[in-house]
Amino acid sequence: MKRILFIQPPFFRFIGIQNRYFPYQFVSMGTYLKKHGHSVRIFEGDKCSDYGNIDFSEQEKLYHHYLKKIQNFSDPFWQTIEKEINNFKPDFIGITFCTTFIASAIRTAQYCKIITPSATIIAGGPHVTLLPDDIKKIDEIDIGVIGEGEQTILEIVNGKPINLINGIFYKANGNTIQNPPRNFEENLDSFGIPDRSLLINHENYSAEDMGLLMIFRGCPFKCAY
């Protein structure tokens, strides 16, 4: 059994606006890993406490708070991550990279590597899938997951030879190697019903926050993304 900690980096928390809903992608991957015997915890940086307002029209005006806080490792948020890492002692740390909050995702990877240098840092999410070359430049990232993550991360955690895992790039001997892409999973039911109890501080979520359902993935019109 391996221990996997997923982290959704902070964005709205640092701005001071409440974020809604839970990180479905992490809960789906976590459920799949748990089904196969691994221990999973999910830390969403934007939902670790109640804070701020819900007026998203203020986002641009408050953006300077975000830029300031991601540079300050003495902010209480980073101490919360350190506490979770020290308590859980993960073998793997998965961090989602969205373009909107890529700066805090990078800082999260850097901080995690400081706290637990032995853990394998895995990057995933839209920015990794669409612009993997950006993420390959980040020294703290050991593996990048391109596309859907459930089967890919299970193979990583189970110790399958890394050169045989489709849908990733990885660092080896000072080089970055990108493997062939992974096919999309057509049967989403195989991943199981998302186990929301994997969320750290799940009591902070309302019934509405937990009300996400996914019946298909991607664009029905076969868009490039």
Side-chain angles (χ1 to χ4, degrees):
M1 180 187 76
K2 297 295 185 180
R3 295 183 298 275
I4 305 94
L5 175 65
F6 290 114
I7 300 176
Q8 176 98 0
F11 178 68
F12 293 107
R13 174 185 174 87
F14 281 176
I15 289 177
I17 297 175
Q18 287 195 39
N19 188 38
R20 304 302 303 273
Y21 309 117
F22 70 97
Y24 188 99
Q25 72 284 5
F26 276 160
V27 176
S28 180
M29 288 189 289
T31 300
Y32 195 61
L33 288 167
K34 180 181 177 181
K35 175 182 175 182
H36 288 84
H38 299 291
S39 180
V40 179
R41 301 199 74 187
I42 301 167
F43 180 87
E44 186 192 355
D46 279 333
K47 202 65 179 180
C48 55
S49 65
D50 292 325
Y51 56 89
N53 61 57
I54 57 173
D55 185 357
F56 283 85
S57 67
E58 296 288 307
Q59 181 174 320
E60 182 177 357
K61 186 186 302 183
L62 299 171
Y63 190 75
H64 67 282
H65 293 306
Y66 167 75
L67 296 177
K68 180 179 180 180
K69 289 194 174 186
I70 61 173
Q71 300 298 330
N72 181 15
F73 276 160
S74 65
D75 186 89
F77 170 80
W78 303 109
Q79 314 313 312
T80 304
I81 285 186
E82 182 175 358
K83 178 182 176 181
E84 295 297 338
I85 289 174
N86 289 335
N87 287 341
F88 188 51
K89 297 179 172 56
D91 302 295
F92 299 87
I93 297 176
I95 302 170
T96 188
F97 279 70
C98 290
T99 304
T100 306
F101 53 75
I102 190 171
S104 59
I106 293 171
R107 292 295 280 176
T108 299
Q110 293 171 338
Y111 193 72
C112 288
K113 208 62 170 177
I114 292 171
I115 300 304
T116 178
S118 63
T120 300
I121 307 296
I122 303 173
H127 201 99
V128 184
T129 296
L130 295 174
L131 297 168
D133 289 343
D134 286 356
I135 311 304
K136 292 174 183 177
K137 301 172 186 176
I138 304 170
D139 293 337
E140 290 78 12
I141 301 301
D142 300 303
I143 302 173
V145 174
I146 299 172
E148 293 179 325
E150 285 87 353
Q151 294 170 332
T152 304
I153 198 164
L154 179 63
E155 292 179 1
I156 294 170
V157 170
N158 281 348
K160 182 176 180 177
I162 197 164
N163 62 306
L164 300 180
I165 301 175
N166 288 342
I168 66 168
F169 65 79
Y170 61 96
K171 310 286 180 61
N173 301 319
N175 297 314
T176 300
I177 300 169
Q178 183 165 327
N179 291 350
R182 179 178 295 275
N183 293 330
F184 292 113
E185 174 57 52
E186 296 184 0
N187 179 19
L188 297 184
D189 289 342
S190 66
F191 298 145
I193 297 174
D195 183 355
R196 292 156 171 80
S197 69
L198 299 175
L199 292 160
I200 295 172
N201 296 330
H202 57 82
E203 67 277 1
N204 289 337
Y205 295 81
S206 69
E208 181 182 351
D209 296 336
M210 292 294 199
L212 286 179
L213 297 174
M214 183 176 289
I215 59 175
F216 66 88
R217 290 179 174 177
C219 177
F221 302 105
K222 300 185 182 300
C223 293
Y225 57 81

